[in-house]
Amino acid sequence: MKILSMLAEGEIQSDWITKVFPVLRYVLFGIIVACAITMIITILLQSNDSTDDGNVITGTQESYYSQNKGSTRNGKLKIVTIVMASIIAFCALAYFITEIINKTV
C-alpha cells in the first residue's frame, strides 16, 4: 500500500526522472557529438557537384549514371549525411524535451 500511495503522490516518478534524465542527456549529447563528427567527415569526402553536364535546353540528365546516383560513392555519402543530420535533429529535440521535463519536476 505504501508503494501505491507514493506512486499516487508522484514521489516515485519524480525520483525516477531526477535519476535517469541527467544520464539520458549525457548519452544524447554523446550521440550528437559522434554524429556531428561523422557528418563532417562525410561532407569532406564528397566531391563537388558543380560540374553537372546536364542538357542545357531542358535541364535534365537522362543517363544510366544519373539514374543510379544512389549506388555510387557520392550517393552513399549523401545518404549517410542525411541520416546523420536526422539523428542529430531527433537527439537535440529529445535532449531539450528532457531538460524541460526535468526542470518542471
Side-chain angles (χ1 to χ4, degrees), residues 12 18 22-24 26 28 31-32 38 43 47 49 56-57 61 73-75 89 94 100:
I12 293 177
T18 56
V23 175
L24 182 62
Y26 283 123
L28 289 171
I31 292 171
I32 289 171
T38 305
I43 289 172
S47 66
D49 286 337
V56 176
I57 297 171
Q61 267 184 333
R73 179 176 179 260
N74 275 339
I100 291 170

Side-chain angles (χ1 to χ4, degrees), residues 30-56:
I31 292 171
I32 289 171
V33 168
C35 288
I37 291 171
T38 305
M39 192 169 154
I40 290 169
I41 291 171
T42 57
I43 289 172
L44 290 175
L45 289 175
Q46 291 178 13
S47 66
N48 192 2
D49 286 337
S50 65
T51 59
D52 285 337
D53 296 324
N55 192 350
V56 176

Side-chain angles (χ1 to χ4, degrees), residues 35-91:
C35 288
I37 291 171
T38 305
M39 192 169 154
I40 290 169
I41 291 171
T42 57
I43 289 172
L44 290 175
L45 289 175
Q46 291 178 13
S47 66
N48 192 2
D49 286 337
S50 65
T51 59
D52 285 337
D53 296 324
N55 192 350
V56 176
I57 297 171
T58 61
T60 60
Q61 267 184 333
E62 295 299 327
S63 66
Y64 180 75
Y65 174 74
S66 68
Q67 292 173 355
N68 295 315
K69 275 187 177 178
S71 60
T72 63
R73 179 176 179 260
N74 275 339
K76 290 177 184 176
L77 287 173
K78 286 181 183 180
I79 290 171
V80 170
T81 303
I82 292 169
V83 169
M84 291 299 128
S86 302
I87 292 172
I88 288 172
F90 174 77
C91 288

Side-chain angles (χ1 to χ4, degrees), residues 4-5 19-20 25 42 56 68 74 77-78 83 88 93 97 102 104:
L4 291 176
S5 66
K19 287 182 180 179
V20 173
R25 281 196 304 270
T42 57
V56 176
N68 295 315
N74 275 339
L77 287 173
K78 286 181 183 180
V83 169
I88 288 172
L93 184 66
I97 288 173
N102 194 31
T104 59

